[in-house]
Amino acid sequence: MSAVSFANVSRHFGAVKAVDGVSLAIAEGEFFAMLGPSGSGKTTCLRLIAGFERPTSGDIRIFGESVADLPPYKRHVNTVFQDYALFPHLNVIDNVAYGLMIAGQGRKQRHAAAEEALEMVRLGGYGTRKPSELSGGQRQRVALARALVNKPRVLLLDEPLGALDLKLREQMQEELKGLQRQLGITFVFVTHDQGEALSMADRVAVFNDGKIIQVGGPEDIYFRPEVPFVADFVGSSNVLPEALVARLTGERCPAAIRPERLRLASDGPLKARVTGLSFLGLTTRVSFEAEGTRLTALLPQDAPRPVEGETVGLTWAADDLHLMRAGA
Amino acid sequence: MSMAQTSDSFSQTRSEGIGTRLSDTLWRRPGLLLILLLLPPVLWLGIIYLGSLFALLLQSFFSIDHFTGLVNYEFTLKTYAELFTPANFDIILRTVTMAAICTLASAVIAFPIAYYAARYARGRWRAVFYLGIMMPLWSSYLVKIYAWKLILAKEGILTWALEGLHLNWLLDAYLSLPVVGGNSLSVSPTGTFIVFVYVWMPFMILPIQAALERVPPSMLEASGDLGARPAQTFRHVLFPLALPGIVAGSIFTFSLTLGDYIIPQIIGTSRLFIGQAVYQHQGIAGNIPLAAAFAVVPIVIMGFYLWGAKRMGAFNAL
């Protein structure tokens, strides 16, 4: 039985199809990421699971139970909000204990459970502070503890790391992953950051225009994009248009090639003009223009470096050119 | 090029008017600018506002000689003691009760309006809302009260409408009740209450709306997500977060009702409110000390009210 399943679910706001015919199944205990640009429908999908939105059509099930008529307060899922949504008039311990208070637990009991949850996110002893006295990273942990203390069967996370700086974000990624392994709860995680999705999730669903474009493990998504959108958005791969691929290989479909797999060779099959170079440390990023297509290559520092404006030949190994189907 | 020439061309050559020199002086001494800006309002507040308040306080410690009608400029608490005579204490009690009931009713009526405005009204509807709330404040206060007199009077619109609906027995039954009833709504305490609530309503709606606008929708969703039914979300999240707005609004409705002397004079019974007492004692009776003592009552009550609100944590969410 899936933890969460969508059967042809749509959510339309007037003429806007925020979610349009989405079907998916999230397994129990899975770390599932919903990845896509803003406005792609991933957050609406999360809100449909939480119950803040109701589907225009289709069926949503949580552990087999249809939740179409269940308000948020009757669903055994909890959410970590993008802006954390901590209650400013309550201190940290009462924020964390809120769900238990609503459930009718006594003060002593719920405070003990809340303190335990705070220790789990390494904020033991912070109970008497107000949310306004915490840093962004600490608030994020409080929001996490407030959701987890209720022992949800599914935890929903809406861009929870979006407001943190890079270093903190990387640290929290590790911690979230560790918590999920330790607790065995199903995590559904919404993000627009492909690195975050690929590094944390067991499976990733790529969204665009209210539809799921591709679902798969991080490596599938990264190395075997099915359509140009996934290649471009997830892998920042070079996408070669159909006409170019037809001339190079004879196949009539678009293809993707990763920037680190492009090499310079004077006899290479593709002639390209160098339009820019930037030093990235480990590699140098070189931008090209070839027959109206923009390409990027990452060259190791010991490789010969071209000059801007020069026309060079590009080559690659045959299996690095990944053929895709046309479409979104 | 010599040094002298360089510095000449640097410190501009055009002739400096008095305005420029003044600007330069103020730029060099920012404190001076602050003093210039603050002096007029501080003088205004200090002398006219606080000064008159102080004069009032002072007067309340004098007494009047009831034979000669002259003020006796000797320090005494006799005038304050007079406030506690049954007739005067009755006025205070009546006014405070009315102010409390009006405040409560205003808060109850204003909350849903403010909630709608803060959460749902967008674009044009928002403008319509503000216009609707503010428009009554633009027309004359007296005109509004007399308009209400016409609505509530015995031959007024309300009676006429209820007669049309054959419901005037309902009004008659209500008016026959003790304390709140009377000959007609316009001469009953209920009439005074209705008009007070109407006139002060914008002062309650706007602060509550401002408070609710600062509550992000995700806060209410989070409460529901954690299992709270809407009523629980209201009690544990929405109401505490709106409380500073409600308190701010109630300060207006409460203190305005405590001090008003026009509404109870036009609509309601002939029994006095504090404002009317102040008006009569300082005017016809010439009893300035007692008028001053009456005027101090709302100030003291408001002081206690704010102190109590703070102790109850009404400003914690600020």
Side-chain angles (χ1 to χ4, degrees):
Chain A
M1 183 172 51
S2 306
V4 179
S5 66
F6 277 44
N8 204 17
V9 171
S10 295
R11 175 70 175 103
H12 297 173
F13 297 98
V16 181
K17 296 175 177 175
V19 172
D20 193 18
V22 164
S23 296
L24 65 86
I26 300 170
E28 186 167 3
E30 193 174 27
F31 199 132
F32 191 86
M34 295 180 172
L35 173 67
S38 56
S40 60
K42 56 191 191 310
T43 297
T44 309
C45 273
L46 197 80
R47 293 172 59 80
L48 283 165
I49 302 173
F52 305 138
E53 302 284 349
R54 297 188 66 188
T56 311
S57 64
D59 188 32
I60 299 172
R61 285 172 185 272
I62 299 176
F63 288 100
E65 184 192 6
S66 179
V67 293
D69 295 320
L70 278 190
Y73 51 90
K74 286 187 180 161
R75 299 187 184 196
H76 291 292
V77 299
N78 285 113
T79 307
V80 176
F81 289 81
Q82 187 171 13
D83 60 358
Y84 315 140
L86 299 179
F87 306 124
H89 59 296
L90 301 179
N91 62 21
V92 166
I93 197 99
D94 283 325
N95 260 285
V96 176
Y98 187 84
L100 302 176
M101 177 200 67
I102 295 293
Q105 274 195 19
R107 189 183 167 80
K108 220 171 151 184
Q109 194 187 356
R110 65 177 192 253
H111 276 196
E115 186 59 37
E116 207 173 292
L118 281 171
E119 270 159 24
M120 187 171 64
V121 295
R122 299 196 288 110
L123 278 181
Y126 277 68
T128 54
R129 303 206 190 178
K130 280 285 181 79
S132 57
E133 296 163 355
L134 302 181
S135 71
Q138 289 170 334
R139 281 181 214 181
Q140 214 270 323
R141 287 160 198 270
V142 174
L144 197 60
R146 185 177 70 173
L148 287 173
V149 78
N150 305 292
K151 306 204 183 333
R153 298 188 74 183
V154 180
L155 183 73
L156 308 174
L157 302 110
D158 185 9
E159 307 243 6
L161 309 180
L164 305 181
D165 59 55
L166 184 67
K167 218 175 160 110
L168 208 52
R169 200 155 63 210
E170 284 170 353
Q171 185 194 338
M172 279 309 292
Q173 284 177 13
E174 301 263 323
E175 280 185 34
L176 273 180
K177 185 99 184 142
L179 267 177
Q180 197 263 340
R181 293 274 175 274
Q182 178 194 332
L183 299 170
I185 296 174
T186 311
F187 275 35
V188 182
F189 184 95
V190 158
T191 180
H192 66 271
D193 183 321
Q194 44 105 352
E196 211 163 272
L198 297 180
S199 67
M200 292 164 78
D202 299 321
R203 277 198 310 150
V204 180
V206 183
F207 279 75
N208 191 31
D209 280 337
K211 294 187 179 72
I212 290 183
I213 306 296
Q214 186 175 350
V215 186
E219 294 192 4
D220 291 328
I221 300 281
Y222 191 74
F223 289 116
R224 290 176 287 281
E226 287 170 5
V227 289
F229 175 80
V230 176
D232 183 47
F233 184 75
V234 180
S236 44
S237 271
N238 295 301
V239 176
L240 305 182
E242 214 173 289
L244 192 58
V245 177
R247 191 170 64 67
L248 291 169
T249 65
E251 302 279 348
R252 295 209 59 85
C253 65
I257 185 159
R258 306 217 39 81
E260 63 270 23
R261 299 297 167 92
L262 277 178
R263 278 177 288 118
L264 295 188
S266 49
D267 59 347
L270 189 60
K271 295 283 175 268
R273 194 169 56 82
V274 178
T275 56
L277 289 128
S278 38
F279 174 73
L280 299 183
L282 209 57
T283 55
T284 298
R285 187 174 60 213
V286 188
S287 312
F288 301 97
E289 203 244 282
E291 301 178 28
T293 303
R294 301 183 65 85
L295 299 169
T296 308
L298 290 173
L299 301 180
Q301 290 306 359
D302 53 0
R305 217 174 296 171
V307 187
E308 206 172 317
E310 187 186 357
T311 299
V312 295
L314 290 174
T315 188
W316 52 85
D319 6 323
D320 286 338
L321 190 72
H322 175 78
L323 300 178
M324 301 181 289
R325 60 189 161 78
Chain B
M1 199 188 284
S2 75
M3 282 301 285
Q5 272 173 319
T6 327
S7 73
D8 267 357
S9 62
F10 178 72
S11 65
Q12 316 206 334
T13 45
R14 67 190 163 87
S15 66
E16 292 196 340
I18 188 156
T20 314
R21 267 183 285 150
L22 186 67
S23 304
D24 291 355
T25 312
L26 291 179
W27 178 79
R28 281 185 215 109
R29 297 174 185 196
L32 193 65
L33 180 65
L34 196 65
I35 290 170
L36 278 178
L37 284 174
L38 282 182
L39 204 58
V42 164
L43 282 179
W44 173 268
L45 270 176
I47 295 172
I48 300 183
Y49 181 75
L50 289 178
S52 61
L53 207 63
F54 181 72
L56 182 87
L57 263 173
L58 201 64
Q59 289 282 348
S60 67
F61 289 104
F62 299 148
S63 62
I64 195 159
D65 189 316
H66 283 289
F67 292 110
T68 58
L70 293 175
V71 176
N72 180 9
Y73 295 102
E74 255 176 68
F75 238 64
T76 173
L77 290 173
K78 210 175 89 190
T79 314
Y80 278 106
E82 258 183 75
L83 287 179
F84 293 95
T85 60
N88 288 340
F89 196 67
D90 196 38
I91 295 175
I92 294 172
L93 214 59
R94 179 179 311 116
T95 313
V96 173
T97 309
M98 178 62 83
I101 295 173
C102 285
T103 299
L104 205 66
S106 297
V108 170
I109 298 170
F111 196 94
I113 301 174
Y115 185 77
Y116 167 78
R119 290 296 304 279
Y120 298 106
R122 292 283 170 270
R124 225 169 48 147
W125 283 111
R126 211 174 172 73
V128 168
F129 162 80
Y130 273 114
L131 219 63
I133 299 297
M134 302 296 283
M135 207 140 64
L137 293 178
W138 300 344
S139 60
S140 158
Y141 170 74
L142 277 175
V143 169
K144 283 183 289 182
I145 297 166
Y146 277 109
W148 271 104
K149 181 128 189 140
L150 292 180
I151 296 171
L152 299 174
K154 200 161 188 71
E155 279 80 39
I157 300 164
L158 197 67
T159 316
W160 172 78
L162 286 174
E163 261 165 20
L165 295 166
H166 303 289
L167 286 173
N168 44 345
W169 57 271
L170 210 65
L171 183 64
D172 291 337
Y174 180 81
L175 287 174
S176 67
L177 292 174
V179 185
V180 295
N183 261 334
S184 76
L185 275 178
S186 66
V187 295
S188 71
T190 307
T192 319
F193 163 79
I194 291 173
V195 178
F196 267 135
V197 169
Y198 165 78
V199 172
W200 310 141
M201 188 57 72
F203 298 103
M204 185 61 102
I205 294 176
L206 294 174
I208 296 182
Q209 187 220 357
L212 288 177
E213 232 155 48
R214 285 184 309 184
V215 180
S218 64
M219 207 82 84
L220 306 181
E221 286 176 353
S223 175
D225 189 69
L226 294 165
R229 282 176 279 108
Q232 291 173 309
T233 298
F234 177 82
R235 189 177 145 217
H236 295 294
V237 179
L238 195 58
F239 182 73
L241 292 178
L243 200 57
I246 297 173
V247 170
S250 68
I251 289 168
F252 286 119
T253 56
F254 198 70
S255 64
L256 288 170
T257 312
L258 282 183
D260 193 80
Y261 69 101
I262 296 184
I263 291 173
Q265 194 180 316
I266 298 172
I267 294 177
T269 62
S270 56
R271 295 195 191 97
L272 295 182
F273 280 68
I274 289 179
Q276 289 166 289
V278 173
Y279 183 74
Q280 287 187 4
H281 284 298
Q282 64 83 36
I284 312 146
N287 192 344
I288 298 280
L290 187 57
F294 260 118
V296 169
V297 172
I299 299 173
V300 172
I301 291 174
M302 286 312 293
F304 276 111
Y305 181 72
L306 288 178
W307 176 73
K310 191 176 184 318
R311 291 239 355 201
M312 272 173 53
F315 306 113
N316 285 1
L318 275 183

